[in-house]
């Protein structure tokens, strides 16, 4: 880590079910630099080969306690972060928390009462919520005076109109909190800022951002505010993903349970962990591994289904916007998979989308051609900076 910065640091933790991403930002810079002083991740926490990697080139294969691998990973990460401080101090920790329910619409400093509230939302986001809260709880117990800030993926979508939040269920379901909340909000919050900075009014019209990673969703924006999104009530909604099914006829679930006699737990595992690109291809959830194997029919069909779903949902969101001015790709697949971008854009020709193959292959910031009626751009994700900035503002560092 560069030792030339200030004495105060903000730590950002993004805890998933099998990985922990982290970043340290220099809190003495105003505004915060968008590139962290040090960052990295622990991957494969629940697998056979967990590994640590960092932006300074550090890498290590880990051996974690098989009974409590997540706790062991947090302990290891804490040791590595302390070793990087070099006399500096962490003044706040920002956490990406997927769900704020219908109560938390802004970042909030976490105490025992807030933590209890957030635990009540675990059923709304069982794949992610428990792991962020485990980290918060452990740190709250050990370092109660250190400010911790929860930043919510659902918060960005509070600007959606009520008609986009409602589900076509009996009214009592709405009263009990069953609604379309929207996710990937920290990613979209960054896009709403950076696209405005780069493209001005060109981004403030009818814009769709495609967050395509292991999880995936689309967000329709007007004036860079969310007006509709594909991932609504749960991480199973909207687009087909790496291991998740995306939008699915609920009758298929009823069939699996009634006729197939699958338990609730078995169906949940299938929909969350065994479907999507992995399930259809039978090979992998990663397009990097699938694209070279398109000669195999299941792989080819999986990729075609993935692209078709994105095209369909972009078309639906364009209808809610009355057209489309800008399409932005972000996150791992969106930023790095030129072939996927090319195929998606080819399917959107009816909207006037046309790309420059050379610019697309080079992952240029603008990949649309001069003839395109829609500006198509590629923009890196930066959820960690959004969370760090929110923490800095909230705790006045």
């Amino acid at each position: 880590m560069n030792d030339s910065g200030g004495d105060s640091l903000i730590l950002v933790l993004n805890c998933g079910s099998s990985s922990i991403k982290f970043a340290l930002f220099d809190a003495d810079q105003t505004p915060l630099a968008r590139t962290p002083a040090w960052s990295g991740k622990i991957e494969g926490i629940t697998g056979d080969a967990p590994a640590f990697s960092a932006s300074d080139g550090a890498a290590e294969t880990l051996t974690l306690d098989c009974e409590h691998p997540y706790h062991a990973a947090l302990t290891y990460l804490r040791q590595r972060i302390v070793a990087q401080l070099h006399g500096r101090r962490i003044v706040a920790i920002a956490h990406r928390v997927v769900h704020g329910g219908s109560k938390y619409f802004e970042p909030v400093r976490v105490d025992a009462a807030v933590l209890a509230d957030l635990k009540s939302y675990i059923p709304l986001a069982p794949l992610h919520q428990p792991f962020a809260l485990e980290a918060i709880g452990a740190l709250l117990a050990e370092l109660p005076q250190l400010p911790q800030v929860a930043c919510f993926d659902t918060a960005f979508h509070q600007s959606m109109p009520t008609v986009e939040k409602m589900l076509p269920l009996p009214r009592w379901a709405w009263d009990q909190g069953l609604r379309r909340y929207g996710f990937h909000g920290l990613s979209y919050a960054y896009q709403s800022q950076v696209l405005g900075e780069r493209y001005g009014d060109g981004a403030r019209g009818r814009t769709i951002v495609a967050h395509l990673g292991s999880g995936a969703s689309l967000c329709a924006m007007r004036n860079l505010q969310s007006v509709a999104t594909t991932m609504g009530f749960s991480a199973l909604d909207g687009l087909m993903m790496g291991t998740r099914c995306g939008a699915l006829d609920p009758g298929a679930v009823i069939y699996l349970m009634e006729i197939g006699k699958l338990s609730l737990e078995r169906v949940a595992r299938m929909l969350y962990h065994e479907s999507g690109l992995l399930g259809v291809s039978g090979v992998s959830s990663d397009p990097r591994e699938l694209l070279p194997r398109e000669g195999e029919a299941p792989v080819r069909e999986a990729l075609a289904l993935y692209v078709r779903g994105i095209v369909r949902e972009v078309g639906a969101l364009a209808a809610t916007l009355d057209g489309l001015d800008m399409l932005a790709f972000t996150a791992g697949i969106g930023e790095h998979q030129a072939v996927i971008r090319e195929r998606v854009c080819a399917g959107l020709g009816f909207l006037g989308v046309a790309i420059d193959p050379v610019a697309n292959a080079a992952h240029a910031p603008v990949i649309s051609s001069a003839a395109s009626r829609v500006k198509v751009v590629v923009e890196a994700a930066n959820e960690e900076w959004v969370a760090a900035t929110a923490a800095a503002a909230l705790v006045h560092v």
Side-chain angles (χ1 to χ4, degrees), residues 298-315:
V299 172
R300 186 168 60 251
E301 290 165 354
L303 288 167
L305 187 61
Y306 179 77
V307 169
R308 177 65 63 88
I310 297 170
V311 170
R312 179 185 293 114
E313 294 297 332
V314 169

Side-chain angles (χ1 to χ4, degrees), residues 265-276:
E265 292 77 12
R266 182 69 189 89
V267 169
R269 178 166 184 78
M270 181 175 68
L271 300 183
Y272 275 111
H273 302 289
E274 300 171 359
S275 298

Side-chain angles (χ1 to χ4, degrees), residues 9-170:
L9 297 165
I10 295 173
L11 171 63
V12 179
L13 293 178
N14 182 347
C15 298
S17 58
S18 63
S19 68
I20 304 172
K21 297 178 183 177
F22 63 89
L24 283 170
F25 289 85
D26 184 348
D28 293 324
Q29 293 189 5
T30 305
L32 293 183
R34 295 194 181 181
T35 301
W38 189 60
S39 62
K41 56 189 173 182
I42 298 178
E43 296 181 287
I45 292 172
T46 56
D48 297 329
F52 169 89
S53 60
S55 56
D56 61 0
E60 185 178 347
T61 299
L62 305 181
T63 300
L64 301 176
D65 178 0
C66 60
E67 293 292 325
H68 305 285
Y70 205 86
H71 181 78
L74 284 169
T75 300
Y76 174 85
L77 181 56
R78 181 176 174 180
Q79 294 169 350
R80 292 300 298 257
I81 290 171
V82 168
Q84 289 288 331
L85 293 181
H86 304 306
R88 303 182 191 186
R89 64 191 181 97
I90 293 174
V91 295
I93 302 178
H95 299 265
R96 176 201 174 203
V97 177
V98 168
H99 223 296
S102 53
K103 181 175 182 178
Y104 296 103
F105 303 145
E106 300 288 344
V108 62
R109 182 166 175 174
V110 182
D111 56 18
V114 171
L115 182 59
D117 277 346
L118 299 182
K119 286 182 178 178
S120 72
Y121 303 140
I122 287 176
L124 299 177
L127 204 61
H128 294 92
Q129 194 89 345
F131 304 99
L133 301 189
E134 180 177 343
I136 292 172
L139 290 165
L140 199 61
E142 295 177 30
L143 302 166
Q145 301 307 312
L146 180 60
Q148 295 191 74
V149 174
C151 302
F152 302 103
D153 263 337
T154 50
F156 183 74
H157 300 287
Q158 293 306 312
S159 56
M160 292 194 306
T162 299
V163 69
E164 287 292 340
K165 297 177 182 178
M166 296 189 75
L167 295 169
L169 296 172

Side-chain angles (χ1 to χ4, degrees), residues 208 314 318 324-327 329 341-356 367-369 371-377:
I208 293 176
V314 169
L324 185 61
D325 301 313
M326 175 174 283
L327 174 63
F329 290 94
R341 292 195 303 259
E342 179 183 12
R343 293 177 184 179
V344 168
C345 290
L348 296 172
F350 73 99
L351 288 173
V353 174
I355 63 169
D356 179 332
I367 62 172
S368 47
S369 71
S372 182
R373 298 200 303 270
V374 176
K375 183 179 286 292
V376 184
V377 303

